[in-house]
Amino acid sequence: MATPTPEEQAGGAFAEAAAEAVQTSVMAVRLVMAIADAVRRQQQKKAEKEDELPDAEKSAAEVSEEVKKLLPPDISAALLDGADWPQLAQQLMALKRAGVDLETMLPRVGEIAVTVRDQVAANAERVAREGTDEWAKALRETLPAGPVREAILSSPTWPEMAATMAKLDERGVDVRAILAAANEEGIGVDRAVAKVFAAAEVPTTSRDAKLSYGPMTTGLDIPKDLDLGDRERVLRQLAIAPSENQRFARMVREAMPGAEREADLLVAARQWPLVAARMADMEGRGEPVAEHLAGLSKDTSWQEGPRSQMGRRLVQAANDALRKPVGAPAGPGARVNTAAARSTSPSVGPTKTAAKGAAPATPGVAAHREAGPVAKGGKTR
C-alpha cells in the first residue's frame, strides 16, 4: 500500500474535521427537534389529545424528500444516514400532523445547524493551527536543522505529536528537554538506518547551501542539504509552519503599501524561505520585525534595474532591512560580490569562516551554529 502524500494527508485531515463539524451540527438538529417534540407533547397533553408517534418506516419515506429539499446537502445526508433517522422522522411527521409547517421550520433549523457546523470547523482549524505552530516554533528553537527535525515536521502523525507536547506542557513537563534528548536518539537511528542502506552518515553540502553562504544565512540554522527548489520541504527544514509563512508574507505586504505586486515577487522568490527564517529568528529573540521591514519603503533602491531581476533585488533588500538596526539612515546596503567571496573563503558551506577540511562536529548541523574555537591550519610548535 502506497504511503499517502502530504497533500493527501492534509486532505484527509480536512475531510475528517469537516465530517466532525457536520456530525456536531446534526447533534444540534436532534436537540432542536427533541425540544420541538417535547413542546408538541406538552401542548397535546394539556388538551388531553396526545397522539402516539406515527409508523417509523412510513414517516421516513414521507418526510425524507422535505429534509433533502429544505436542509443543506451535507447535513440532510448525515441525518438520513444516521441510525436514529426513523425516530427523527417520526418526530417530524408528528409535528407535521400537529399543524407545524415543516417548510417554514426546517430552513430555520438548517440555519442553526449551519452556524454550529461552521463554528466547529473554524474552532478545529484554529486549534490545529495554533497547536502545531507553537510546537513547530519550539522545534526550531530546540533542535538543530537536520534529519530529525525535518522527519518530525513531515510525519503524518505530527499533529498528534504536537497535541502530546501540549498535554505534557500543561502538566508541567519540560518538553524542550525531552525534544533535545529525543534528537540525540533520532540522530542515532538516522545513522543506523543509513548504514543499512550503505548511505553516507554525514550529508554532503548541497549547492543551495553553498550558494546561500554569506549575509543571507549568517547566524541562521541552515541544513547542509538545503533545497530551495522544494518550497514545502525547505519550510519544513527551517521549521516554519505554513501559517507562519503566510503571516510573514502578510507582514511584507503591509510594509510595502502600494507595492503589493512587488511584495508578491519577494514572497515568490527562490530565496524567500531564508528571508522568512530570518524573520522567525528575529521574532524568537523579541526583535521588532515589522519595524525593520519598514525599511523596504524607505529605501527603494530595489526598484532600480531590470524587472526580471526584481525578486532577487528584493530578497537582498529585505535581508539588509532585517539586519540593519532600526532607525539607521536609509540607503542601499553594502554590495557583496558573493562569487568572489566564495572563491576566496575557506568555508565549505553556509557557515562562518572555518579552516579548510574542518568538518562540523555534529552531522547535519550547520557549523556556524556550533560553539567552540575555530580550528587553525598548519602545525604548531
Side-chain angles (χ1 to χ4, degrees):
M1 183 176 179
T3 302
T5 65
E7 291 79 7
E8 290 171 337
Q9 294 163 6
F14 175 80
E16 184 177 343
E20 182 179 350
V22 170
Q23 289 302 322
T24 305
S25 70
V26 167
M27 290 172 60
V29 171
R30 292 186 182 120
L31 175 61
V32 173
M33 296 308 305
I35 293 171
D37 188 60
V39 172
R40 174 192 65 80
R41 287 176 181 273
Q42 179 68 8
Q43 289 288 15
Q44 290 180 339
K45 188 175 183 180
K46 285 181 180 179
E48 298 181 351
K49 294 181 179 179
E50 186 174 358
D51 292 334
E52 293 294 327
L53 287 174
D55 180 75
E57 187 175 345
K58 291 181 179 179
S59 297
E62 191 165 337
V63 300
S64 60
E65 290 304 317
E66 289 184 86
V67 168
K68 291 179 183 178
K69 180 178 69 174
L70 300 172
L71 291 180
D74 53 350
I75 295 171
S76 63
L79 282 171
L80 295 174
D81 290 340
D84 63 344
W85 164 239
Q87 291 74 35
L88 186 60
Q90 283 180 301
Q91 292 178 345
L92 286 169
M93 182 56 66
L95 288 168
K96 187 174 182 178
R97 288 181 179 179
V100 176
D101 184 357
L102 294 185
E103 292 197 1
T104 300
M105 178 186 178
L106 285 177
R108 290 201 297 262
V109 173
E111 290 177 7
I112 296 172
V114 167
T115 300
V116 171
R117 179 196 65 193
D118 294 348
Q119 285 178 343
V120 171
N123 186 59
E125 182 182 354
R126 178 186 62 79
V127 170
R129 182 179 66 249
E130 293 178 356
T132 57
D133 282 6
E134 177 184 355
W135 296 106
K137 180 181 178 183
L139 287 175
R140 183 169 63 239
E141 295 173 349
T142 307
L143 304 187
V148 178
R149 192 172 78 182
E150 184 181 351
I152 292 172
L153 293 172
S154 62
S155 170
T157 62
W158 162 238
E160 287 80 2
M161 284 191 269
T164 300
M165 293 178 197
K167 290 177 183 177
L168 290 171
D169 184 64
E170 289 174 0
R171 297 177 184 181
V173 177
D174 187 349
V175 177
R176 292 170 187 263
I178 294 177
L179 289 175
N183 182 62
E184 295 301 318
E185 295 299 320
I187 289 175
V189 171
D190 182 68
R191 290 176 180 173
V193 175
K195 284 182 180 179
V196 172
F197 289 99
E201 291 188 26
V202 181
T204 58
T205 304
S206 68
R207 184 173 183 273
D208 279 336
K210 292 177 181 177
L211 293 177
S212 299
Y213 165 70
M216 281 300 301
T217 58
T218 300
L220 297 180
D221 186 16
I222 303 299
K224 291 173 70 67
D225 59 343
L226 183 73
D227 181 8
L228 294 174
D230 187 339
R231 176 65 62 94
E232 183 178 342
R233 185 192 175 205
V234 76
L235 290 174
R236 285 200 309 268
Q237 287 181 309
L238 299 171
I240 297 174
S243 57
E244 280 188 300
N245 184 56
Q246 293 169 5
R247 181 167 57 83
F248 292 148
R250 285 197 303 271
M251 291 174 69
V252 168
R253 294 186 185 100
E254 291 168 359
M256 300 173 66
E260 287 76 12
R261 291 179 62 185
E262 287 74 10
D264 288 343
L265 287 176
L266 168 57
V267 175
R270 183 180 174 85
Q271 289 185 305
W272 161 253
L274 299 178
V275 176
R278 175 78 61 195
M279 295 167 71
D281 180 68
M282 293 173 68
E283 278 194 343
R285 290 184 278 110
E287 295 190 31
V289 176
E291 293 182 28
H292 282 270
L293 288 174
L296 289 170
S297 293
K298 297 175 182 177
D299 174 17
T300 57
S301 57
W302 47 264
Q303 295 178 345
E304 303 169 5
R307 177 81 180 179
S308 60
Q309 298 178 8
M310 184 171 288
R312 187 181 303 174
R313 293 197 303 273
L314 279 164
V315 166
Q316 181 64 53
N319 189 56
D320 289 343
L322 292 169
R323 288 164 55 85
K324 187 181 296 183
V326 174
R335 304 287 183 180
V336 179
N337 187 329
T338 54
R342 282 193 299 273
S343 66
T344 58
S345 171
S347 172
V348 294
T351 65
K352 292 181 179 178
T353 304
K356 290 182 179 180
T362 305
V365 181
H368 67 304
R369 300 287 293 184
E370 298 169 8
V374 178
K376 294 182 179 180
K379 297 180 179 179
T380 58
R381 295 182 180 180

